Amino acid sequence: MIEIPSKVEGLQFDLYKLEQKLKPIGYSIGGNWDYDHGAFDYKISEDSGYQYLRLPFKAIDGQLDARGCTVELGRPFLLSHEYEENIDEQGQSGVFSGTFNQFQEPTDKDANFPNQYIDVGKALVQELEDLLL
């Protein structure tokens, strides 16, 4: 994980309106959210796993699944998830569990971030600042 200090840290937005600004430029709300916190993810690459810019946020007024929720942005950071490239050798997923667990867990949720994408991440943070400030 590589943190990128930004002027967006601490800014507050209506979550719905923020999502309307970020979705068109490639961000999605990551699957790792709860009622009081979450993150927007921008997939940078699929080189040896997945490289993301993550923009964390926390609810300061309401819950994330409610209308009118206000969120405060945290410090953006770069992260890399490595996935096993082969099929499930252990045969651990059955038909029933496959219905619910469709996606493989990363083998390393905090893998080394490739150097060639660090400048891309910094440019994405600059784009965020230009859009949100």
Side-chain angles (χ1 to χ4, degrees):
M1 178 177 81
I2 300 170
E3 292 185 339
I4 302 176
S6 172
K7 297 174 187 172
V8 302
E9 291 177 56
L11 294 181
Q12 298 177 0
F13 295 92
D14 175 274
L15 179 58
Y16 176 78
K17 292 177 183 174
L18 180 62
E19 188 174 11
Q20 297 306 306
K21 288 182 177 189
L22 296 180
K23 268 185 149 181
I25 62 169
Y27 287 84
S28 63
I29 292 184
N32 242 357
W33 67 274
D34 206 336
Y35 293 103
D36 63 346
H37 67 278
F40 284 97
D41 287 341
Y42 184 99
K43 189 189 312 181
I44 295 172
S45 175
E46 295 180 12
D47 186 24
S48 302
Y50 294 98
Q51 288 73 45
Y52 294 98
L53 171 66
R54 179 161 284 173
L55 178 61
F57 57 83
K58 63 181 177 182
I60 59 166
D61 180 17
Q63 292 185 338
L64 298 184
D65 64 343
R67 283 185 185 254
C69 177
T70 302
V71 297
E72 181 175 307
L73 300 180
R75 178 171 286 185
F77 60 93
L78 301 170
L79 77 153
S80 187
H81 285 181
E82 286 183 3
Y83 291 88
E84 201 166 320
E85 294 185 21
N86 299 324
I87 60 171
D88 182 8
E89 299 286 339
Q90 306 301 318
Q92 304 243 348
S93 64
V95 174
F96 182 74
S97 68
T99 304
F100 297 101
N101 303 319
Q102 298 177 24
F103 302 102
Q104 182 182 25
E105 284 293 313
T107 56
D108 188 352
K109 292 183 180 182
D110 194 17
N112 288 330
F113 196 86
N115 287 333
Q116 70 262 31
Y117 298 120
I118 292 174
D119 286 338
V120 173
K122 290 178 180 178
L124 288 168
V125 170
Q126 181 62 54
E127 180 183 44
L128 272 175
E129 291 176 351
D130 293 344
L131 179 68
L132 300 178
L133 295 177

